[in-house]
Amino acid sequence: MAHSTESESRKLLGRLREIMAEDSAGQARLDQITALVADSMEADVCSIYLFRDDDTLELCATHGLNQDAVHQTRMKIGEGLVGRVAKYSRVVNTPDAPSEKGFRFMPETGEEVFSSFLGIPLQRLGERLGVVVVQSKDARVYTDDEVYALEVVAMVLAEMTELGAFVGEGAALSPLHSQAVMLRGSVAQEGVAEGNVWLHEARVVVTNPIADDPEAEQARLQEAVDQLRVSVDEMLDNAIGGDKDQVQVLEAYRMFANSKGWMRRMSEDIKRGLSAEAAVEKEQSTARARMSQASDAYLRDRLHDLDDLSNRLLRILTGQGSNTGAEMPENPILIARNIGPAELLDYGRNLKGIVLEEGSVGSHATIVARALAIPLLIHTDRITIEALNGDQILVDGEHGTVHLRPDESVVSAFRDKILMQAEAQERYTSIRDKPAETLCGEVVKLTMNAGLMADLPSLPTSGAEGVGLFRTELQFLVRNKMPKRAELAATYETVLNAAEGKPVVFRTLDIGSDKVLPYMNPLDEPNPALGWRAIRVGLDKPGVMRMQVQALLRAAKGRPLSVMFPMVAQFEEFKQARDIFLREIERERALGHTLPENYEIGTMLETPSLAFAPPQFFKMADFISIGGNDLKQFFFAADRENERVRKRYDTLSVSFLNFLETIVARCKEGNTPLSFCGEDAGRPVEALCFAAMGLRALSMRPASIGPVKHRLRRTNLQELRAVIDQARAEGVETVRPAVLEYLRKG
């Protein structure tokens, strides 16, 4: 096929389909395919290399090389020209292979007499499967038509590999998605879980990659694209005036859906003999390969848009929508690229765990997962490629690992770990109703963080003395429009009823940064974490704050009410917010509504600036809660969404503890109650150190209360403070080693 034509390409694919239809073993099919491709392309050699593991390629079939080298010749990814094709997912086309940089001579293959080399990656939607190669004795560059023809063949081979057409003996011919795989991610919510995979969007399977009637396939593609364009236009019309980011994404979708280049490439693939589905997936695989190599964030986002759009088009063509008819397995663990809070709430507590390819530690989904106490890993690369519905899966939300299809030894060790944790929880149950009193007689108040009604059942069972933080933004985030005052009042009343007299601290609306309401127009800010968010939005949009305060006052129905404001950076902001609250008190009184028995107006201390506010601030605030997550990122100038920097800085660093000591002293001078709220409050070692530095109230997720209380009841804070002070006097960067050594000896 020195000068390939569309008809010749279709003829080759037709012969490929005949081979696939034969009742033969995987090895026999591979052998026939290499002979067929070599003959069609008038090449001396055709070879197929498949991955036997993540790092190693194996020669699995060849026409023209030494047959004794089959299943014997192996190379690491990146090694030689074949390894280079696999590593970078790029075509290598050279007339003089031995002179190419990185060429590796493999004498057992007998390839030294072949000069020209064309290597095409075998890949499917980002999953690297292997490499197909043709070689010739003549020194020549393969034409664009020949490269294109081999790419089409590679596409079909990848689909057939996915469908198990080449299963045989040995690791390289083992079925896909059958071997044990361990993946790593970032912990967004701690915990461990064993269960079975449930894909949020099931994989689309293309069972008909080769088509006989190009005109019919063109018509099918055009009809599906027209349907796609209409749906994108409808989504865009509905989004106009809403979330700016969502509108931008949909505009990019519309641009791609109307791209003549995209349509032209898919049409050419169909003319070569591919079905409409296979043509879409071929373009999608190309986009995925470019995405993995792109260093520019904007380009990656646009390729991501094209990838998502291709998925939509494939579901239209195949009819494989989100509702595939598959039944959710027992103990489902959700696998997705990303997911929104409303979708996650629809699953509810049915889920045992969540693993995402994307996500962030401060995302809406993370907040919901924490509220539901479901282990969550984010940034787990390749999980949607590797996992299939029903696969056994183990999620370790402590070490950030996922085990897919694990072997018995891993399962046994994991179950032992779960059993040990269950036994520890039993020990915590025995102290549930006892105070967190240390060996030196100090008592630390432990409360829980919440944000959903689903959190409240944990209040009596966790041993929490109340709710130290109730996040009110979730009631806003999971809706498509602003909630009504009466709806909010009913929700807050239910929360207070469920608390059964235990204190609840409501934080007013904390939006902005990574929490954007779908019905409010966000600003295009270069650094939203430091932008228009939280109290700044509330003060600039006082109508929303007033409505929420009214709902809180009415929900109290004469009971005590505690409210705090988020992200206050200076005294004046607190005074303005407090004045709004007090004016609403007077308004409710004038209307004859029942007022709270008493009320407390506090604030979160999340910015270093507030720690240095005038003394009048500390006297005016009824209480202060240190918002550890934000305070730490601002103190260290380390974005907590950035994995490369957020783990560089230790909470137990001397500088941070010195800063906490300053806050404790200032609150003591103003006689202002102080607590610490955040992830670190729920870590026993950190909690001990906070208590040793003078903090007597900590708020954390419910599951952390038992471990923290257990530690506190076994520790002498005076001794621990002496250890911390000694380490500080020695000029160390962090007191953690000294504290751990003290606890180990104790």
Side-chain angles (χ1 to χ4, degrees):
M1 201 163 63
H3 300 286
S4 174
T5 65
E6 292 169 7
S7 60
E8 288 172 334
S9 180
R10 287 200 302 274
K11 189 185 302 181
L12 169 59
L13 291 184
R15 293 172 66 187
L16 259 180
R17 182 165 57 185
E18 291 172 4
I19 292 173
M20 297 301 182
E22 293 177 7
D23 185 14
S24 55
Q27 184 65 57
R29 283 187 175 131
L30 285 175
D31 293 340
Q32 288 178 281
I33 289 169
T34 55
L36 170 62
V37 173
D39 177 60
S40 297
M41 295 193 66
E42 299 178 8
D44 296 314
V45 173
C46 176
S47 304
I48 295 174
Y49 298 80
L50 299 176
F51 277 100
R52 58 177 288 113
D53 57 45
D54 288 343
D55 300 315
T56 311
L57 286 154
E58 182 177 297
L59 175 62
C60 290
T62 186
H63 174 86
L65 296 184
N66 188 346
Q67 287 295 322
D68 291 339
V70 174
H71 298 303
Q72 301 303 314
T73 295
R74 295 169 187 169
M75 65 199 71
K76 293 294 182 183
I77 188 169
E79 184 179 10
L81 298 186
V82 173
R84 197 167 90 196
V85 173
K87 180 176 182 179
Y88 299 107
S89 298
R90 292 176 184 163
V91 174
V92 171
N93 184 6
T94 176
D96 187 6
S99 67
E100 286 289 318
K101 182 180 179 181
F103 175 79
R104 177 196 166 193
F105 175 56
M106 295 177 288
E108 72 274 12
T109 65
E111 65 175 343
E112 64 272 12
V113 298
F114 304 109
S115 180
S116 62
F117 175 100
L118 172 60
I120 304 285
L122 280 177
Q123 57 191 4
R124 184 181 185 272
L125 304 185
E127 185 174 14
R128 294 183 299 204
L129 303 172
V131 177
V132 59
V133 173
V134 293
Q135 295 171 273
S136 294
K137 294 178 182 177
D138 297 337
R140 69 184 188 89
V141 175
Y142 289 91
T143 66
D144 290 344
D145 277 345
E146 289 171 322
V147 172
Y148 192 99
L150 195 57
E151 285 179 333
V152 171
V153 170
M155 165 70 200
V156 175
L157 291 178
E159 288 300 328
M160 293 299 100
T161 303
E162 170 75 14
L163 295 172
F166 307 123
V167 172
E169 295 183 5
L173 296 185
S174 63
L176 294 180
H177 313 294
S178 62
Q179 299 180 5
V181 176
M182 189 192 81
L183 302 171
R184 294 193 177 276
S186 301
V187 178
Q189 164 67 8
E190 297 172 350
V192 294
E194 176 184 358
N196 299 96
V197 166
W198 179 249
L199 294 170
H200 182 55
E201 288 190 343
R203 295 164 66 101
V204 174
V205 179
V206 176
T207 57
N208 59 328
I210 303 169
D212 289 324
D213 188 344
E215 290 185 4
E217 294 303 303
Q218 293 282 12
R220 289 181 64 233
L221 177 65
Q222 188 62 59
E223 182 180 352
V225 169
D226 289 343
Q227 186 176 335
L228 177 70
R229 288 170 177 167
V230 170
S231 67
V232 171
D233 287 343
E234 289 176 349
M235 287 189 292
L236 189 56
D237 289 342
N238 293 333
I240 295 297
D243 185 341
K244 185 177 179 181
D245 290 338
Q246 183 183 6
V247 171
Q248 287 179 340
V249 169
L250 290 173
E251 284 177 343
Y253 276 13
R254 182 158 68 180
M255 178 189 73
F256 282 125
N258 290 279
S259 168
K260 293 181 180 179
W262 188 45
M263 277 297 296
R264 185 186 67 252
R265 291 191 298 273
M266 291 188 293
S267 295
E268 288 173 354
D269 292 333
I270 289 174
K271 290 176 183 177
R272 299 277 179 172
L274 291 183
S275 67
E277 293 92 333
V280 174
E281 196 162 275
K282 180 174 179 291
E283 288 305 304
Q284 187 179 14
S285 289
T286 301
R288 283 271 183 104
R290 290 169 61 198
M291 199 185 309
S292 65
Q293 303 295 325
S295 58
D296 180 75
Y298 178 80
L299 178 58
R300 283 198 306 273
D301 286 344
R302 297 291 71 78
L303 289 170
H304 192 296
D305 294 339
L306 179 57
D307 189 38
D308 283 346
L309 201 67
S310 299
N311 275 332
R312 291 175 182 270
L313 186 55
L314 278 172
R315 294 188 187 285
I316 293 171
L317 282 165
T318 62
Q320 298 174 31
S322 56
N323 184 11
T324 62
E327 291 187 10
M328 184 180 290
E330 291 186 11
N331 301 319
I333 291 179
L334 185 72
I335 306 297
R337 178 172 293 172
N338 216 334
I339 191 168
E343 293 171 304
L344 193 49
L345 283 169
D346 286 341
Y347 285 108
R349 291 187 182 274
N350 290 328
L351 301 177
K352 298 299 179 183
I354 307 165
V355 185
L356 303 178
E357 279 195 4
E358 299 174 0
S360 67
V361 294
S363 70
H364 312 154
T366 300
I367 293 170
V368 173
R370 287 174 180 163
L372 297 173
I374 299 172
L376 167 63
L377 296 187
I378 57 177
H379 305 151
T380 312
D381 192 34
R382 295 176 56 80
I383 185 65
T384 59
I385 292 174
E386 293 285 359
L388 292 180
N389 269 340
D391 278 348
Q392 185 179 16
I393 181 172
L394 310 175
V395 178
D396 188 335
E398 295 178 354
H399 296 98
T401 56
V402 177
H403 298 272
L404 270 173
R405 304 175 289 273
D407 60 38
E408 282 303 315
S409 62
V410 174
V411 173
S412 178
F414 196 84
R415 287 176 178 168
D416 286 345
K417 181 175 184 176
I418 292 176
L419 181 61
M420 290 174 63
Q421 290 192 343
E423 291 172 349
Q425 287 297 332
E426 285 296 320
R427 292 199 302 273
Y428 304 147
T429 301
S430 67
I431 61 172
R432 182 181 60 197
D433 299 322
K434 296 180 180 180
E437 184 175 356
T438 66
L439 295 179
C440 54
E442 296 287 351
V443 177
V444 180
K445 181 180 180 181
L446 303 182
T447 57
M448 60 176 268
N449 300 332
L452 295 169
M453 289 309 304
D455 292 320
L456 275 303
S458 300
L459 186 53
T461 59
S462 66
E465 298 175 55
V467 178
L469 165 66
F470 190 89
R471 306 179 185 91
T472 61
E473 57 270 11
L474 288 177
Q475 285 73 44
F476 290 78
L477 288 167
V478 297
R479 298 169 182 260
N480 292 321
K481 60 182 180 180
M482 184 75 72
K484 296 180 180 178
R485 181 179 58 195
E487 294 172 332
L488 292 179
T491 298
Y492 302 151
E493 182 181 355
T494 305
V495 171
L496 289 169
N497 292 342
E500 296 181 344
K502 290 184 177 180
V504 178
V505 179
F506 292 94
R507 182 179 69 188
T508 59
L509 189 59
D510 183 4
I511 57 170
S513 185
D514 57 343
K515 297 190 284 288
V516 179
L517 300 184
Y519 42 85
M520 288 184 69
N521 290 326
L523 298 178
D524 186 12
E525 299 179 302
N527 192 343
L530 296 175
W532 194 60
R533 54 174 293 201
I535 195 63
R536 298 165 184 174
V537 177
L539 295 177
D540 289 350
K541 299 280 187 181
V544 177
M545 180 182 281
R546 290 179 57 239
M547 183 266 286
Q548 187 178 24
V549 170
Q550 291 165 14
L552 287 164
L553 291 171
R554 296 179 187 184
K557 292 191 178 299
R559 292 169 289 192
L561 178 64
S562 295
V563 175
M564 64 179 174
F565 305 116
M567 193 64 184
V568 174
Q570 55 188 8
F571 184 24
E572 185 60 32
E573 289 174 334
F574 177 73
K575 286 194 293 185
Q576 291 176 23
R578 184 174 180 271
D579 286 345
I580 290 175
F581 187 94
L582 293 176
R583 284 198 297 271
E584 291 311 311
I585 286 274
E586 294 307 314
R587 181 178 181 277
E588 291 294 294
R589 179 179 284 113
L591 292 172
H593 294 158
T594 302
L595 296 177
E597 176 186 338
N598 56 66
Y599 54 86
E600 293 180 318
I601 308 173
T603 185
M604 298 204 79
L605 194 157
E606 299 170 280
T607 62
S609 62
L610 196 61
F612 301 99
Q616 291 88 339
F617 160 71
F618 292 91
K619 293 177 182 178
M620 181 179 289
D622 292 325
F623 65 91
I624 291 174
S625 178
I626 294 173
N629 296 344
D630 265 327
L631 182 63
K632 196 164 68 169
Q633 80 164 337
F634 296 142
F635 182 82
F636 289 113
D639 182 358
R640 66 190 179 109
E641 301 294 341
N642 189 329
E643 290 295 309
R644 287 180 291 184
V645 298
R646 75 183 184 97
K647 292 182 178 179
R648 290 173 65 98
Y649 302 99
D650 190 353
T651 307
L652 300 186
S653 73
V654 168
S655 57
F656 192 66
L657 291 182
N658 287 346
F659 184 50
L660 292 183
E661 187 177 40
T662 298
I663 298 171
V664 169
R666 297 217 64 190
C667 286
K668 191 172 182 180
E669 291 170 6
N671 198 28
T672 313
L674 175 67
S675 64
F676 188 104
C677 172
E679 294 175 18
D680 289 317
R683 298 188 171 108
V685 175
E686 282 82 346
L688 289 180
C689 293
F690 296 159
M693 299 306 295
L695 284 152
R696 292 294 177 267
L698 305 172
S699 189
M700 64 202 71
R701 65 189 183 101
S704 297
I705 290 175
V708 169
K709 183 183 290 188
H710 177 71
R711 246 331 166 171
L712 283 166
R713 288 174 58 85
R714 299 175 60 195
T715 303
N716 185 314
L717 293 183
Q718 294 176 2
E719 290 182 1
L720 179 58
R721 179 58 184 262
V723 170
I724 292 173
D725 288 345
Q726 177 62 33
R728 292 198 293 178
E730 292 172 359
V732 298
E733 182 173 294
T734 173
V735 304
R736 188 177 297 276
V739 170
L740 291 176
E741 178 64 16
Y742 165 74
L743 295 175
R744 185 185 66 80
K745 290 179 179 178

